[in-house]
Amino acid sequence: RETPPSVSSDVAERIRKQVASSPLSWGGADIPVTLSAGLATSGEDGLETGQDLFMLADGRLYDAKNGGRNRVVGLQDWPKSP
């Protein structure tokens, strides 16, 4: 069963927020932790192989990182606005 893109984005965003609100304690100091994610689904146009799916998700991950990090980039954010 395939998860709809909107649900995937919501789940990834909840995880991102939880990670960001839970600093890592090390040596008496709190270290902030963030999460960037790129989401893709097998039902998107132009995907023919698992490699295509992986490359799309990977490209979106890099967009999330380049867009300021601590972000989720999925179908609703693609293609990237100029």
Side-chain angles (χ1 to χ4, degrees):
R1 181 171 101 158
E2 187 173 304
T3 303
S6 61
V7 174
S8 299
S9 293
D10 290 346
V11 169
E13 187 62 26
R14 284 196 313 266
I15 293 169
R16 184 200 64 77
K17 287 178 180 178
Q18 182 64 42
V19 168
S21 68
S22 304
L24 176 67
S25 294
W26 182 265
D30 284 342
I31 302 167
V33 179
T34 62
L35 180 142
S36 296
L39 306 178
T41 63
S42 60
E44 294 184 53
D45 290 340
L47 298 179
E48 297 179 11
T49 67
Q51 182 69 23
D52 292 340
L53 179 64
F54 176 83
M55 295 302 293
L56 181 58
D58 190 53
R60 290 177 180 171
L61 170 60
Y62 279 94
D63 283 348
K65 290 179 176 183
N66 291 331
R69 302 194 179 207
N70 199 30
R71 298 181 59 223
V72 173
V73 173
L75 180 62
Q76 72 279 6
D77 306 303
W78 196 264
K80 189 170 56 173
S81 300

Coordinates of all heavy atoms in Angstrom, one line a residue:
R1 N 0.8 -1.2 0.0 CA 0.0 0.0 0.0 C 0.9 1.2 0.0 O 1.8 1.3 0.8 CB -0.9 -0.1 1.2 CG -1.8 1.0 1.4 CD -2.8 0.7 2.5 NE -2.4 1.5 3.6 CZ -3.2 1.7 4.6 NH1 -4.4 1.3 4.6 NH2 -2.8 2.4 5.7
E2 N 0.6 2.2 -0.9 CA 1.4 3.4 -1.0 C 0.9 4.5 -0.1 O -0.3 4.7 0.1 CB 1.4 3.9 -2.4 CG 2.3 5.0 -2.7 CD 2.4 5.4 -4.1 OE1 2.7 4.5 -4.9 OE2 2.1 6.5 -4.5
T3 N 1.8 5.2 0.6 CA 1.4 6.3 1.4 C 1.3 7.5 0.5 O 2.2 7.9 -0.2 CB 2.5 6.5 2.5 OG1 2.6 5.3 3.2 CG2 2.1 7.7 3.4
P4 N 0.2 8.3 0.7 CA 0.0 9.5 -0.1 C 1.1 10.5 0.2 O 1.6 10.6 1.4 CB -1.4 10.0 0.3 CG -2.1 8.9 0.9 CD -1.0 8.0 1.5
P5 N 1.6 11.3 -0.8 CA 2.6 12.3 -0.5 C 2.3 13.2 0.6 O 3.2 13.6 1.4 CB 2.7 13.0 -1.9 CG 2.2 12.1 -2.9 CD 1.2 11.3 -2.2
S6 N 1.1 13.7 0.8 CA 0.8 14.6 1.8 C 1.0 14.0 3.2 O 1.4 14.6 4.1 CB -0.7 15.1 1.7 OG -1.6 14.1 1.8
V7 N 0.6 12.7 3.3 CA 0.8 12.0 4.6 C 2.3 11.8 4.9 O 2.8 12.0 6.0 CB 0.1 10.6 4.6 CG1 0.4 9.8 5.9 CG2 -1.4 10.8 4.5
S8 N 3.1 11.4 3.8 CA 4.5 11.3 4.0 C 5.2 12.6 4.4 O 6.0 12.6 5.3 CB 5.2 10.9 2.6 OG 4.7 9.7 2.2
S9 N 4.8 13.7 3.8 CA 5.3 15.0 4.2 C 5.0 15.3 5.7 O 5.8 15.8 6.4 CB 4.8 16.1 3.3 OG 5.3 15.9 2.0
D10 N 3.7 15.1 6.1 CA 3.3 15.3 7.4 C 4.1 14.5 8.4 O 4.6 15.0 9.5 CB 1.8 15.0 7.6 CG 0.9 16.0 6.9 OD1 1.4 17.1 6.5 OD2 -0.3 15.7 6.8
V11 N 4.3 13.2 8.1 CA 5.1 12.4 9.0 C 6.5 12.9 9.1 O 7.1 13.0 10.2 CB 5.0 10.9 8.6 CG1 6.0 10.0 9.3 CG2 3.6 10.3 8.8
A12 N 7.1 13.2 8.0 CA 8.5 13.6 8.0 C 8.7 15.0 8.7 O 9.6 15.2 9.4 CB 9.0 13.8 6.5
E13 N 7.7 15.8 8.6 CA 7.7 17.1 9.3 C 7.6 16.9 10.8 O 8.3 17.6 11.6 CB 6.6 18.0 8.7 CG 6.7 19.4 9.3 CD 7.9 20.2 8.9 OE1 8.6 19.9 7.9 OE2 8.3 21.1 9.7
R14 N 6.8 16.0 11.2 CA 6.6 15.7 12.7 C 8.0 15.2 13.2 O 8.4 15.6 14.3 CB 5.5 14.7 12.9 CG 4.1 15.4 12.9 CD 3.0 14.5 13.5 NE 3.0 13.1 13.1 CZ 2.3 12.6 12.2 NH1 1.5 13.3 11.4 NH2 2.4 11.3 11.9
I15 N 8.6 14.3 12.5 CA 9.9 13.7 12.9 C 10.9 14.8 12.9 O 11.7 14.9 13.9 CB 10.3 12.6 12.0 CG1 9.4 11.4 12.1 CG2 11.8 12.2 12.2 CD1 9.6 10.3 11.0
R16 N 11.0 15.7 11.9 CA 11.9 16.8 11.9 C 11.8 17.7 13.1 O 12.7 18.1 13.7 CB 11.7 17.6 10.6 CG 12.8 18.7 10.4 CD 12.3 19.8 9.5 NE 11.2 20.5 9.9 CZ 11.1 21.5 10.9 NH1 12.2 21.8 11.5 NH2 10.0 22.1 11.2
K17 N 10.5 18.1 13.4 CA 10.3 18.9 14.6 C 10.7 18.3 15.9 O 11.3 18.9 16.8 CB 8.8 19.3 14.6 CG 8.4 20.3 13.6 CD 6.9 20.6 13.6 CE 6.5 21.6 12.6 NZ 5.1 21.9 12.6
Q18 N 10.4 16.9 16.0 CA 10.8 16.2 17.2 C 12.3 16.2 17.4 O 12.9 16.4 18.5 CB 10.2 14.8 17.2 CG 10.5 14.0 18.5 CD 9.9 14.6 19.7 OE1 8.8 15.0 19.7 NE2 10.6 14.6 20.8
V19 N 13.0 15.9 16.3 CA 14.5 15.9 16.3 C 15.0 17.3 16.7 O 15.9 17.4 17.6 CB 15.1 15.4 15.0 CG1 16.6 15.7 14.9 CG2 14.8 14.0 14.8
A20 N 14.5 18.3 16.1 CA 15.0 19.7 16.4 C 14.7 20.1 17.8 O 15.4 21.0 18.4 CB 14.3 20.7 15.4
S21 N 13.7 19.6 18.5 CA 13.3 20.0 19.8 C 14.0 19.1 20.9 O 13.7 19.2 22.1 CB 11.8 19.9 20.0 OG 11.3 18.6 20.0
S22 N 14.9 18.2 20.4 CA 15.5 17.2 21.3 C 17.1 17.3 21.2 O 17.7 16.5 20.5 CB 15.1 15.8 21.0 OG 13.7 15.7 21.1
P23 N 17.7 18.3 21.8 CA 19.1 18.5 21.7 C 19.9 17.2 22.3 O 19.4 16.6 23.2 CB 19.5 19.7 22.5 CG 18.3 19.9 23.4 CD 17.1 19.3 22.7
L24 N 21.0 17.0 21.7 CA 21.9 15.9 22.2 C 22.7 16.5 23.4 O 23.4 17.5 23.2 CB 22.8 15.5 21.1 CG 23.9 14.4 21.4 CD1 23.2 13.1 21.7 CD2 24.8 14.3 20.2
S25 N 22.7 15.8 24.5 CA 23.5 16.2 25.7 C 24.8 15.5 25.6 O 24.9 14.3 25.6 CB 22.8 15.9 27.0 OG 21.6 16.7 27.1
W26 N 25.9 16.2 25.7 CA 27.3 15.6 25.6 C 28.2 16.5 26.4 O 28.4 17.7 26.2 CB 27.7 15.6 24.1 CG 29.1 15.0 24.0 CD1 30.3 15.6 23.9 CD2 29.4 13.6 23.9 NE1 31.3 14.7 23.7 CE2 30.8 13.5 23.7 CE3 28.6 12.5 23.9 CZ2 31.4 12.3 23.6 CZ3 29.2 11.2 23.7 CH2 30.6 11.1 23.6
G27 N 28.8 15.9 27.4 CA 29.8 16.6 28.2 C 29.3 17.8 28.9 O 29.9 18.8 29.1
G28 N 28.0 17.7 29.3 CA 27.4 18.8 30.0 C 26.8 19.9 29.1 O 26.3 20.9 29.6
A29 N 27.0 19.8 27.9 CA 26.4 20.8 26.9 C 25.3 20.2 26.1 O 25.3 19.0 25.8 CB 27.6 21.3 26.0
D30 N 24.4 21.0 25.7 CA 23.3 20.6 24.8 C 23.7 21.0 23.4 O 24.0 22.2 23.1 CB 22.0 21.3 25.2 CG 21.3 20.6 26.4 OD1 21.7 19.5 26.7 OD2 20.4 21.3 27.0
I31 N 23.7 20.0 22.5 CA 24.1 20.3 21.1 C 22.8 20.2 20.3 O 22.1 19.1 20.3 CB 25.1 19.2 20.7 CG1 26.3 19.2 21.6 CG2 25.5 19.4 19.2 CD1 27.2 18.0 21.4
P32 N 22.5 21.3 19.6 CA 21.3 21.2 18.7 C 21.5 20.2 17.6 O 22.6 20.1 17.0 CB 21.2 22.6 18.2 CG 22.4 23.3 18.5 CD 23.2 22.5 19.5
V33 N 20.4 19.5 17.2 CA 20.4 18.5 16.2 C 19.2 18.9 15.2 O 18.2 19.3 15.7 CB 20.2 17.1 16.7 CG1 20.2 16.1 15.6 CG2 21.3 16.8 17.7
T34 N 19.5 18.8 13.9 CA 18.5 19.1 12.9 C 18.4 17.9 12.0 O 19.3 17.1 11.9 CB 18.7 20.4 12.2 OG1 19.9 20.3 11.5 CG2 18.7 21.6 13.1
L35 N 17.3 18.0 11.2 CA 17.1 16.9 10.2 C 16.6 17.5 8.9 O 15.7 18.4 8.9 CB 16.1 15.9 10.7 CG 15.7 14.7 9.9 CD1 15.5 13.5 10.7 CD2 14.5 15.0 9.0
S36 N 17.2 17.1 7.8 CA 16.8 17.5 6.5 C 16.3 16.2 5.8 O 16.9 15.2 6.0 CB 17.9 18.2 5.7 OG 18.2 19.4 6.3
A37 N 15.3 16.3 5.0 CA 14.8 15.1 4.3 C 14.3 15.4 2.9 O 13.7 16.5 2.6 CB 13.6 14.5 5.1
G38 N 14.5 14.5 2.0 CA 14.0 14.6 0.6 C 13.0 13.4 0.4 O 13.4 12.3 0.6
L39 N 11.8 13.7 0.0 CA 10.8 12.7 -0.2 C 10.4 12.5 -1.7 O 10.4 13.5 -2.4 CB 9.5 13.1 0.6 CG 9.7 13.4 2.1 CD1 8.3 13.8 2.6 CD2 10.2 12.2 2.8
A40 N 10.2 11.3 -2.0 CA 9.7 11.0 -3.4 C 8.8 9.7 -3.3 O 9.0 8.9 -2.4 CB 10.9 10.7 -4.3
T41 N 7.9 9.6 -4.2 CA 7.0 8.5 -4.2 C 7.1 7.8 -5.6 O 7.3 8.4 -6.6 CB 5.5 8.8 -3.9 OG1 5.1 9.7 -5.0 CG2 5.4 9.5 -2.6
S42 N 6.8 6.5 -5.6 CA 7.0 5.7 -6.8 C 6.0 6.1 -7.9 O 6.2 5.8 -9.1 CB 6.9 4.2 -6.5 OG 5.6 4.0 -5.9
G43 N 4.9 6.8 -7.5 CA 3.9 7.2 -8.5 C 4.1 8.5 -9.2 O 3.3 8.9 -10.0
E44 N 5.3 9.1 -9.0 CA 5.5 10.4 -9.7 C 5.9 10.2 -11.1 O 6.5 9.2 -11.5 CB 6.7 11.1 -8.9 CG 6.2 11.6 -7.5 CD 7.3 12.4 -6.8 OE1 7.7 13.4 -7.4 OE2 7.6 12.0 -5.7
D45 N 5.6 11.1 -12.0 CA 5.9 11.0 -13.4 C 7.3 10.9 -13.7 O 8.2 11.5 -13.0 CB 5.3 12.3 -14.1 CG 3.8 12.4 -14.2 OD1 3.2 11.3 -14.0 OD2 3.3 13.5 -14.4
G46 N 7.7 10.1 -14.7 CA 9.0 10.0 -15.1 C 9.9 9.0 -14.4 O 11.1 8.8 -14.7
L47 N 9.3 8.4 -13.4 CA 10.1 7.4 -12.6 C 9.9 6.0 -13.2 O 8.8 5.5 -13.3 CB 9.7 7.4 -11.2 CG 10.0 8.7 -10.4 CD1 9.5 8.5 -8.9 CD2 11.4 9.1 -10.4
E48 N 11.0 5.4 -13.7 CA 10.9 4.1 -14.3 C 11.6 3.0 -13.5 O 11.2 1.8 -13.6 CB 11.5 4.1 -15.7 CG 10.7 5.0 -16.6 CD 11.3 5.1 -18.0 OE1 12.1 4.3 -18.3 OE2 10.8 6.0 -18.8
T49 N 12.5 3.4 -12.7 CA 13.3 2.4 -11.9 C 13.4 2.8 -10.4 O 13.2 4.0 -10.1 CB 14.7 2.2 -12.5 OG1 15.5 3.4 -12.3 CG2 14.7 1.9 -14.0
G50 N 13.9 1.9 -9.6 CA 14.2 2.2 -8.2 C 15.3 3.3 -8.1 O 15.3 4.1 -7.3
Q51 N 16.2 3.2 -9.1 CA 17.3 4.2 -9.1 C 16.8 5.6 -9.4 O 17.2 6.5 -8.8 CB 18.4 3.8 -10.2 CG 19.5 4.7 -10.3 CD 20.5 4.6 -9.1 OE1 20.5 3.6 -8.4 NE2 21.2 5.7 -8.8
D52 N 15.8 5.7 -10.3 CA 15.1 7.0 -10.5 C 14.5 7.5 -9.3 O 14.6 8.7 -9.0 CB 14.1 6.8 -11.6 CG 14.6 6.5 -13.0 OD1 15.8 6.7 -13.3 OD2 13.8 6.0 -13.8
L53 N 13.8 6.7 -8.5 CA 13.2 7.1 -7.3 C 14.2 7.6 -6.3 O 14.1 8.6 -5.7 CB 12.4 5.9 -6.7 CG 11.6 6.2 -5.4 CD1 10.6 7.2 -5.6 CD2 11.0 4.9 -4.9
F54 N 15.3 6.8 -6.1 CA 16.4 7.2 -5.2 C 17.0 8.5 -5.6 O 17.2 9.4 -4.8 CB 17.5 6.1 -5.2 CG 18.6 6.5 -4.4 CD1 18.6 6.3 -3.0 CD2 19.8 7.0 -4.9 CE1 19.7 6.6 -2.2 CE2 20.8 7.4 -4.1 CZ 20.8 7.2 -2.8
M55 N 17.3 8.7 -6.9 CA 17.9 10.0 -7.4 C 17.0 11.2 -7.1 O 17.4 12.2 -6.8 CB 18.3 9.8 -8.8 CG 19.3 8.8 -9.1 SD 20.9 9.1 -8.2 CE 21.4 10.6 -9.0
L56 N 15.7 11.0 -7.3 CA 14.7 12.1 -7.1 C 14.7 12.5 -5.6 O 14.8 13.6 -5.3 CB 13.3 11.7 -7.5 CG 12.2 12.7 -7.4 CD1 12.6 14.0 -8.1 CD2 10.9 12.2 -7.9
A57 N 14.6 11.5 -4.7 CA 14.7 11.7 -3.3 C 16.0 12.4 -2.9 O 16.0 13.3 -2.1 CB 14.4 10.4 -2.5
D58 N 17.1 11.9 -3.4 CA 18.4 12.4 -3.1 C 18.5 13.9 -3.6 O 19.0 14.8 -2.9 CB 19.5 11.6 -3.8 CG 20.9 12.0 -3.3 OD1 21.1 12.0 -2.1 OD2 21.7 12.2 -4.2
G59 N 18.0 14.2 -4.8 CA 18.0 15.6 -5.2 C 17.2 16.5 -4.3 O 17.6 17.6 -4.0
R60 N 16.1 16.0 -3.9 CA 15.2 16.8 -2.9 C 15.9 17.0 -1.6 O 15.8 18.0 -0.9 CB 13.8 16.1 -2.8 CG 13.1 16.3 -4.1 CD 11.7 15.6 -4.0 NE 11.0 15.8 -5.3 CZ 9.9 15.2 -5.6 NH1 9.3 14.4 -4.7 NH2 9.3 15.4 -6.7
L61 N 16.7 16.0 -1.1 CA 17.4 16.1 0.1 C 18.4 17.2 0.0 O 18.6 18.1 0.8 CB 18.1 14.8 0.4 CG 19.2 14.9 1.6 CD1 18.5 15.3 2.9 CD2 19.9 13.5 1.7
Y62 N 19.1 17.3 -1.2 CA 20.1 18.4 -1.4 C 19.4 19.7 -1.5 O 19.9 20.7 -1.0 CB 21.0 18.1 -2.6 CG 22.1 17.1 -2.3 CD1 21.9 15.8 -2.5 CD2 23.3 17.6 -1.7 CE1 22.9 14.9 -2.1 CE2 24.3 16.7 -1.3 CZ 24.1 15.4 -1.6 OH 25.1 14.5 -1.2
D63 N 18.2 19.8 -2.1 CA 17.5 21.0 -2.1 C 17.1 21.4 -0.6 O 17.2 22.6 -0.3 CB 16.2 20.9 -2.9 CG 16.4 20.9 -4.4 OD1 17.5 21.3 -4.8 OD2 15.5 20.6 -5.1
A64 N 16.7 20.5 0.2 CA 16.4 20.8 1.6 C 17.7 21.4 2.3 O 17.6 22.4 3.0 CB 15.9 19.6 2.4
K65 N 18.8 20.7 2.1 CA 20.0 21.2 2.7 C 20.4 22.6 2.2 O 20.8 23.5 3.0 CB 21.2 20.2 2.5 CG 21.0 18.9 3.3 CD 22.2 18.0 3.0 CE 22.1 16.7 3.8 NZ 23.2 15.8 3.5
N66 N 20.4 22.8 0.9 CA 20.7 24.0 0.3 C 19.7 25.1 0.6 O 20.1 26.3 0.5 CB 20.9 23.9 -1.2 CG 22.1 23.0 -1.6 OD1 23.1 23.0 -0.9 ND2 22.0 22.3 -2.7
G67 N 18.5 24.8 1.0 CA 17.5 25.8 1.3 C 17.5 26.2 2.7 O 16.6 27.0 3.1
G68 N 18.5 25.9 3.4 CA 18.7 26.3 4.8 C 18.7 25.2 5.8 O 18.8 25.5 7.0
R69 N 18.7 24.0 5.4 CA 18.7 22.8 6.3 C 17.5 22.8 7.2 O 16.7 23.7 7.2 CB 20.0 22.8 7.1 CG 21.2 22.7 6.1 CD 22.5 22.3 6.8 NE 23.5 22.3 5.8 CZ 24.6 21.5 5.9 NH1 24.8 20.8 6.9 NH2 25.5 21.6 4.9
N70 N 17.4 21.7 8.0 CA 16.3 21.5 8.9 C 15.0 21.7 8.1 O 14.1 22.4 8.6 CB 16.4 22.5 10.1 CG 15.5 22.0 11.2 OD1 15.3 20.8 11.4 ND2 15.1 22.9 12.0
R71 N 14.9 21.1 7.0 CA 13.7 21.2 6.1 C 13.3 19.8 5.6 O 14.1 19.0 5.4 CB 13.9 22.1 5.0 CG 14.3 23.5 5.3 CD 14.5 24.4 4.1 NE 13.4 24.5 3.3 CZ 13.4 24.4 1.9 NH1 14.5 24.3 1.3 NH2 12.3 24.4 1.2
V72 N 12.1 19.8 5.1 CA 11.6 18.6 4.4 C 11.2 19.1 3.0 O 10.4 20.1 2.9 CB 10.3 18.0 5.1 CG1 9.7 16.9 4.2 CG2 10.7 17.4 6.5
V73 N 11.7 18.5 2.0 CA 11.3 18.8 0.6 C 10.7 17.6 0.0 O 11.3 16.5 -0.1 CB 12.5 19.3 -0.2 CG1 12.2 19.5 -1.7 CG2 13.1 20.6 0.4
G74 N 9.5 17.8 -0.5 CA 8.7 16.7 -1.1 C 8.1 17.1 -2.4 O 8.4 18.1 -3.0
L75 N 7.1 16.4 -2.9 CA 6.4 16.6 -4.1 C 5.9 18.0 -4.2 O 6.0 18.7 -5.2 CB 5.3 15.6 -4.3 CG 4.5 15.7 -5.6 CD1 5.3 15.4 -6.8 CD2 3.3 14.7 -5.5
Q76 N 5.3 18.5 -3.1 CA 4.7 19.9 -3.2 C 5.7 21.0 -3.3 O 5.4 22.1 -3.7 CB 3.8 20.1 -1.9 CG 4.6 20.3 -0.6 CD 5.1 19.0 0.0 OE1 4.9 17.9 -0.5 NE2 5.7 19.1 1.2
D77 N 7.0 20.7 -3.1 CA 8.0 21.6 -3.2 C 8.8 21.5 -4.5 O 9.8 22.2 -4.7 CB 9.0 21.5 -2.1 CG 8.4 21.5 -0.7 OD1 7.7 22.5 -0.4 OD2 8.5 20.5 0.0
W78 N 8.4 20.6 -5.4 CA 9.1 20.3 -6.6 C 8.3 20.6 -7.8 O 7.1 20.3 -7.8 CB 9.5 18.8 -6.6 CG 10.6 18.5 -7.6 CD1 10.4 17.9 -8.8 CD2 12.0 18.5 -7.4 NE1 11.5 17.7 -9.4 CE2 12.5 18.0 -8.5 CE3 12.8 19.0 -6.3 CZ2 13.9 18.0 -8.7 CZ3 14.1 18.9 -6.5 CH2 14.7 18.4 -7.7
P79 N 8.8 21.2 -8.9 CA 10.2 21.6 -9.1 C 10.4 22.9 -8.2 O 9.5 23.6 -7.9 CB 10.3 21.9 -10.5 CG 9.0 22.2 -11.0 CD 8.0 21.5 -10.1
K80 N 11.7 23.1 -7.9 CA 12.1 24.2 -7.1 C 11.8 25.5 -7.8 O 12.0 25.6 -9.0 CB 13.6 24.0 -6.8 CG 14.1 25.0 -5.8 CD 15.5 24.6 -5.3 CE 16.4 24.6 -6.5 NZ 17.8 24.4 -6.2
S81 N 11.3 26.4 -7.0 CA 11.0 27.8 -7.6 C 12.3 28.5 -7.9 O 13.2 28.4 -7.1 CB 10.2 28.6 -6.7 OG 8.9 28.0 -6.4
P82 N 12.4 29.2 -9.1 CA 13.6 29.9 -9.4 C 13.8 31.1 -8.4 O 13.0 31.6 -7.8 CB 13.4 30.4 -10.8 CG 12.0 30.2 -11.1 CD 11.4 29.3 -10.1

